[in-house]
Amino acid sequence: MQLIVGNNYDEMSAFAAAGLLAALKDKNDPLVCLPSGSSPVGLCEKIREHYAAAGSGPGWYFVGLDEWVGMDGSDKGSCRNFFNEQLLVPLQIPGSRISFFNGKSAQLELECHKAEEFISTHGGLDIAVLGIGMNGHLGFNEPGVDPSSRAHVVELDEVTRNVGQKYFSEKKELQKGITLGIATLMEARTLFLLVSGKQKAPILKKAVQGEIGNAIPATLIRNHPNYFIYADADAAEGIGN
Ligand code: GLP
């Protein structure tokens, strides 16, 4: 595990973007997984700037990390909607290169199967960038998750149901989520965790220094051989740098 700390959110985002682009530099058609939410907004901006300056799009395949059950890209605040706006449309990534959970599907198990299939068809995840929830979740791998889990549907933790309201302009019933599993993520060649803000300092400290176990899902990826945490100084204040 390597911890890289930026002085502020912008610097953290720049470091993470540089790290991501370096990790993918020599890969043809890499398969990339990114998190939605507040943490990766700056990273997405840096990626857009990079490809705008390069004058060409990334040759990426893209797989979604998670989605709220009952939502798809047409729902403002959904994970897919976030990526449509932040990356997929601006970078003109064709639909054939994207696999994303449809949280409105009547066959959610099939959505899980399709995501895993897409990953194996494209040679495995080259990089999975993750955010951390206030309860230590990764994607929607909530406290108590089976560490051997692959893509699955979950009953959301109360913390997630409450904190998740921040993505929506009106109150939502957030009961279930669909997510790539811990085992799926652990197979990624490179893992990044993006953490920003003082409010995340206590959970980041636990993710880094707490006992490894499913009570705090973020501890489960700590032994990944190619794991980088990008934090800003506020989030890293409890662990030093
Ligand atoms: C959300 C998502 C995660 C995300 C995490 C942190 O609920 N399910 O994929 O990484 O929680 O989100 P944020 O960056 O907005 O704090």
Side-chain angles (χ1 to χ4, degrees), residues 54-139:
S56 64
W60 295 354
Y61 285 89
F62 188 93
V63 65
L65 172 63
D66 54 9
E67 186 57 281
W68 307 96
V69 166
M71 296 188 204
D72 64 13
S74 65
D75 295 285
K76 192 88 187 144
S78 69
C79 302
R80 176 64 193 254
N81 187 270
F82 172 92
F83 282 113
N84 286 349
E85 289 181 359
Q86 292 286 328
L87 282 185
L88 301 175
V89 172
L91 296 182
Q92 299 182 310
I93 304 212
S96 58
R97 285 183 169 252
I98 301 166
S99 167
F100 215 101
F101 293 123
N102 175 7
K104 283 195 170 130
S105 169
Q107 293 176 286
L108 293 172
E109 290 307 323
L110 186 62
E111 292 296 304
C112 295
H113 179 75
K114 282 197 292 193
E116 292 284 347
E117 184 104 334
F118 188 84
I119 293 172
S120 58
T121 303
H122 296 291
L125 282 168
D126 287 295
I127 189 163
V129 181
L130 305 169
I132 186 170
M134 293 297 287
N135 60 0
H137 76 198
L138 299 173

Side-chain angles (χ1 to χ4, degrees), residues 35-39 65-66 68 131-133 137 139-140 160 166-167 200:
S36 51
S38 320
S39 311
L65 172 63
D66 54 9
W68 307 96
I132 186 170
H137 76 198
F140 283 135
T160 305
K166 71 175 175 173
Y167 305 118
K200 293 274 179 80

